[in-house]
Amino acid sequence: MRQARIEQLINQYPIGTQEELMEHLEEVGIQATQATISRDIREMQIVKAQDGHGHLRYTIFKAGNRSEEEHLRETINEVVTGLTRVEFVNILKTLPSNGNLLAAIFDDLNLPEIAGTLAGHDTIFIISPDAKVAARLHDEIAAEMNPDIIH
């Protein structure tokens, strides 16, 4: 019930922090700790994304009707502005506020080429099991990138 209410609240209000989410939950009579909210955010695949007004707000990551792989390819083409490989790590630069969203897509796919991701505002570190696998992943990502930005 709490998670269903969280989904309603973040779709209804421009909530951008766990504290704001806790306040909205309390207003509707639901008490939750910060740890519980944090776990809900992770389980529900809630990420921060920029809304139409340029504000960061929580949104639930969903691929919709498209396949997850297709969604990944489209998002790479739309938001990735740079790609560098260093040994077993690929570093992706994204448009502002898109790092977490793209990392969530990679994480959701559970690709064997990816041991883990670390995302920020506009940068993602994709860690692969070894340099050979990272090189293959680098080539796959580069193939999906907007050709106008590849130098």
Side-chain angles (χ1 to χ4, degrees):
M1 165 152 163
R2 184 183 61 253
Q3 289 188 354
R5 197 64 159 145
I6 288 172
E7 183 171 0
Q8 289 175 337
L9 290 169
I10 64 172
N11 287 330
Q12 187 175 1
Y13 300 102
I15 299 171
T17 66
Q18 291 182 8
E19 292 78 22
E20 290 175 29
L21 182 54
M22 286 174 60
E23 289 172 12
H24 281 281
L25 284 170
E26 286 176 11
E27 288 173 7
V28 296
I30 298 174
Q31 298 291 320
T33 65
Q34 189 276 330
T36 300
I37 297 297
S38 182
R39 186 179 66 247
D40 287 339
I41 287 171
R42 198 172 42 258
E43 288 176 2
M44 295 174 66
Q45 295 183 296
I46 295 174
V47 296
K48 284 189 180 182
Q50 217 167 11
D51 65 16
H53 305 290
H55 301 105
L56 285 178
R57 65 178 288 169
Y58 284 140
T59 185
I60 296 178
F61 165 71
K62 291 184 180 173
N65 294 331
R66 299 172 287 177
S67 74
E68 292 175 3
E69 291 85 5
E70 183 179 328
H71 188 226
L72 175 64
R73 286 192 296 274
E74 290 175 3
T75 305
I76 287 171
N77 185 270
E78 292 170 6
V79 306
V80 174
T81 61
L83 172 64
T84 304
R85 184 177 69 85
V86 179
E87 294 294 327
F88 57 91
V89 177
N90 278 290
I91 304 163
L92 277 73
K93 294 295 286 178
T94 69
L95 295 173
S97 302
N98 283 278
N100 285 319
L101 176 64
L102 184 55
I105 296 169
F106 276 113
D107 291 343
D108 196 50
L109 288 171
N110 292 316
L111 299 171
E113 297 94 341
I114 300 175
T117 62
L118 179 64
H121 176 68
D122 63 358
T123 305
I124 306 169
F125 283 31
I126 300 176
I127 302 139
S128 293
D130 61 48
K132 184 177 177 183
V133 172
R136 189 171 63 241
L137 182 62
H138 178 276
D139 294 344
E140 291 172 8
I141 293 169
E144 301 303 331
M145 288 176 59
N146 181 339
D148 296 335
I149 62 169
I150 297 175
H151 304 294

